[in-house]
Amino acid sequence: MHVGLTYDLRDDYLAAGYGEEETAEFDRISTVEALEAALRAGGHRTERIGNAARLARLLTAGRRWDLVFNIAEGLHGIGREAQVPVLLELHGIAYTFGDPLTMSLTLHKGMTKRVLRDAGLPTPAFAEVARLEDLAGVDLPFPLFAKPIAEGTGKGIDGASKLRTPQELADRCALLLERFRQPVLVETFLPGRELTVGIVGTGDDARALGTMEVVLLPQAEADAYTYVNKERCEELIEYRFPDAAADPQVAAAERTALAAWRVLGCRDAGRVDLRADARGEPQIMELNPLAGLHPEHSDLPMIATARGLPYADLIGIIVESAARRRGEIPPLRAELLHADPDPA
């Protein structure tokens, strides 16, 4: 197949003047190179497209691909991860990972938790704080945990994210509201093991690939897998790969993660992050249907490697899953794609 690659290259955004933190979710060139090599090893011809804006220009110029391997995160807005899927669906081109609904829903952690709760899946009690006046309605026992409602890669999470008093909660919400300009998710703090479940496949074909446990070393920021802990993981984090067959808590986490994956309509491959509560029950913190794919540093490829699945084979599974959707959505007819916006 002729496979296009859509991505947000971090170096491009840094060169344009964007900051380190706001580009933290974007990809390094080494990730794009690794994806290209894996796709070519699978017999595919690749073409670098880049971000959503470049994709839009190429589509308007008439360029097409058999499939687009999409890892573009987008920069702003609750629909930023849906920008590439929307453009590709308009032109009837199949692509990897979630559709526009799933990508927008799962980026909003509060909406995601409402759907999970409605499905009867375990997720900590929570409240949303869109302005400081909302704090009066937060009726949750301390300790609590606060983070931006629509960020990834640990952005907005640090050693002070665990909150023990109403004053700490108020101060933290004020800081996050000012810094990220979006609501704050406040939820019950989970004191147990932190587990990340890797999943491959779609719908009934989806399966848990394996689980990674995140263990904070003594010199790490306390209580959470924070932005700093992720950025300096080699010195602050120990990663373990427990086997569900010998660990009932991990087995429970994998069952819960797989159920959440199907409820939210996630596709091809990704991750579900959980933490155990005080009773030892794994609770869903968030889903990542657009997981990082650096072969050595990203969680999903690390889980695959630990389970004996080479990187190229992981990429092959993702492509095979996405390719089954080729032809499902017909493109808009050419006379409408190229219609004069003001025929009069």
Side-chain angles (χ1 to χ4, degrees):
M1 287 191 295
H2 181 200
V3 180
L5 286 95
T6 49
Y7 50 85
D8 288 294
L9 193 62
R10 192 175 191 186
D11 288 345
D12 288 346
Y13 287 81
L14 291 173
Y18 292 98
E20 290 282 344
E21 186 178 59
E22 64 186 327
T23 61
E25 295 182 58
F26 293 170
D27 287 290
R28 316 174 193 180
I29 189 62
S30 54
T31 300
V32 177
E33 291 170 346
L35 280 175
E36 280 184 322
L39 290 166
R40 288 171 182 169
H44 304 295
R45 180 165 60 93
T46 63
E47 180 180 345
R48 295 186 189 185
I49 298 171
N51 64 17
R54 292 173 185 158
L55 173 65
R57 289 200 299 272
L58 291 174
L59 287 169
T60 301
R63 297 280 283 279
R64 300 292 185 267
W65 306 269
D66 298 318
L67 180 82
V68 168
F69 200 107
N70 172 43
I71 57 171
E73 302 268 359
L75 188 62
H76 293 134
I78 199 66
R80 60 184 171 84
E81 292 186 348
Q83 291 167 350
V84 165
V86 164
L87 288 170
L88 292 171
E89 290 200 357
L90 179 66
H91 292 80
I93 298 173
Y95 55 92
T96 58
F97 306 120
D99 65 15
L101 173 61
T102 296
M103 303 310 276
S104 297
L105 173 62
T106 53
L107 188 62
H108 194 295
K109 296 175 175 61
M111 292 297 182
T112 299
K113 287 165 70 71
R114 289 183 176 92
V115 174
L116 294 173
R117 189 174 57 190
D118 188 58
L121 294 170
T123 189
F126 71 101
E128 291 181 16
V129 176
R131 51 185 189 155
L132 291 178
E133 289 81 357
D134 295 339
L135 287 168
V138 177
D139 184 21
L140 298 169
F142 288 90
L144 297 172
F145 195 85
K147 58 188 175 183
I149 207 157
E151 299 292 345
T153 321
K155 291 162 67 174
I157 299 175
D158 58 31
S161 294
K162 180 182 176 182
L163 310 166
R164 297 167 179 81
T165 68
Q167 188 59 55
E168 286 185 359
L169 172 62
D171 292 345
R172 191 67 184 177
C173 287
L175 183 150
L176 293 176
L177 288 169
E178 171 66 22
R179 186 168 156 195
F180 290 94
R181 303 289 180 180
Q182 60 182 265
V184 178
L185 182 74
V186 178
E187 56 188 349
T188 303
F189 176 75
L190 301 169
R193 298 165 73 190
E194 181 152 346
L195 304 169
T196 293
V197 178
I199 293 179
V200 292
T202 303
D204 291 340
D205 294 330
R207 62 183 173 88
L209 178 62
T211 296
M212 183 174 78
E213 182 175 1
V214 177
V215 179
L216 306 180
L217 297 176
Q219 63 272 31
E221 287 188 328
D223 298 318
Y225 195 21
T226 67
Y227 176 75
V228 169
N229 288 341
K230 291 184 179 185
E231 287 287 298
R232 296 167 52 197
C233 59
E234 291 84 356
E235 57 183 301
L236 301 178
I237 301 295
E238 177 187 347
Y239 296 111
R240 300 172 183 168
F241 299 91
D243 188 342
D247 190 324
Q249 197 173 59
V250 171
E254 293 188 357
R255 287 193 299 271
T256 298
L258 192 55
W261 183 261
R262 289 170 172 155
V263 163
L264 291 167
C266 303
R267 309 190 302 199
D268 304 333
R271 294 183 0 249
V272 181
D273 299 337
L274 308 96
R275 237 186 190 225
D277 62 16
R279 300 168 301 168
E281 181 182 0
Q283 302 272 326
I284 302 166
M285 294 191 294
E286 56 191 69
L287 285 86
N288 192 336
L290 197 62
L293 287 175
H294 189 282
E296 287 93 29
H297 300 293
S298 295
D299 294 349
L300 180 63
M302 290 168 65
I303 293 169
T305 300
R307 303 302 295 176
L309 181 68
Y311 182 74
D313 291 354
L314 172 64
I315 302 306
I317 289 172
I318 294 169
V319 169
E320 182 181 347
S321 175
R324 294 191 187 118
R325 297 190 291 274
R326 291 179 63 201
E328 280 189 358
I329 299 178
L332 197 63
R333 293 181 178 175
E335 57 266 38
L336 293 176
L337 278 175
H338 305 293
D340 186 335
D342 185 10

